[in-house]
Amino acid sequence: MWEFKLKREYEAQVQDLERCDAVQAMRSFPQHVKGFSTHDHASLVAYSSFRICRALGLDARAAARGGLLHDMFLYNWMEYRSPIRFDHMLNHARYALENARRHFTLTDAEEDIIASHMWPANPFRFYRCWEAFIVSCMDKLCTAAELLHLVPLITRAG
């Protein structure tokens, strides 16, 4: 992972998740751009959400954990053609939640983060907590940074 200002504090919140083979398997699946794995993406979303929630006095632990697990769907969605890609867009949050539940005991906030992170693409699952809203926003911002090849710029600073 990148060198961030609160790296140790963040890692303390997710170290048990990182020991799970299923979380490590996310490293083998591409995300939005070549050379950037689902784990890379989820880690960037999780850390940035952790920082924001910590600064706002929200549940930074839930943001870190839910953020890391939000895309734990465990398949290469880029191998599929439409309409399967459309199914992925609408349902991967549900697949990720099912996988996360299989491996971990989740809090209500962590479940909400994972289940609702695709709003508004999935209009049937709106946020129930501020942490879910923040993770969802960071998911979209990090995705844009990946697609625009801006990740090196945002991972240099604290």
Side-chain angles (χ1 to χ4, degrees):
M1 194 173 130
W2 306 279
E3 289 301 320
F4 287 127
K5 182 178 177 182
L6 299 176
K7 182 178 179 180
R8 285 190 190 145
E9 194 174 328
Y10 164 77
E11 287 176 340
Q13 306 305 315
V14 298
Q15 62 188 351
D16 61 316
L17 305 181
E18 290 284 4
R19 286 192 294 266
C20 177
D21 289 341
V23 171
Q24 290 303 308
M26 292 166 57
R27 294 179 186 277
S28 65
F29 300 113
Q31 190 60 346
H32 301 110
V33 295
K34 185 176 181 178
F36 212 78
S37 73
T38 301
H39 186 275
D40 293 333
H41 167 75
S43 295
L44 189 59
V45 170
Y47 177 79
S48 57
S49 300
F50 168 79
R51 289 277 312 259
I52 292 169
C53 287
R54 183 179 178 273
L56 295 175
L58 298 171
D59 188 348
R61 177 179 172 81
R65 296 171 71 82
L68 186 60
L69 301 175
H70 82 278
D71 277 344
M72 193 179 164
F73 43 82
L74 303 177
Y75 57 83
N76 183 352
W77 66 273
M78 291 187 165
E79 290 179 349
Y80 301 110
R81 299 176 194 243
S82 297
I84 297 172
R85 279 194 183 188
F86 185 70
D87 174 75
H88 171 77
M89 182 183 73
L90 292 179
N91 293 308
H92 81 268
R94 181 171 51 87
Y95 305 146
L97 182 57
E98 289 169 2
N99 288 330
R101 283 177 175 156
R102 224 182 325 269
H103 294 280
F104 308 106
T105 301
L106 304 172
T107 66
D108 289 343
E110 292 164 356
E111 287 200 8
D112 185 38
I113 289 166
I114 298 166
S116 65
H117 82 272
M118 281 305 289
W119 192 89
N122 184 348
F124 304 107
R125 188 60 165 88
F126 192 70
Y127 320 112
R128 296 184 180 148
C129 65
W130 282 108
E131 294 82 0
F133 171 74
I134 290 167
V135 170
S136 181
C137 289
M138 293 314 302
D139 180 39
K140 288 149 185 64
L141 286 172
C142 290
T143 297
E146 292 163 34
L147 293 171
L148 297 170
H149 303 283
L150 298 175
V151 171
L153 294 175
I154 63 174
T155 56
R156 277 192 284 189

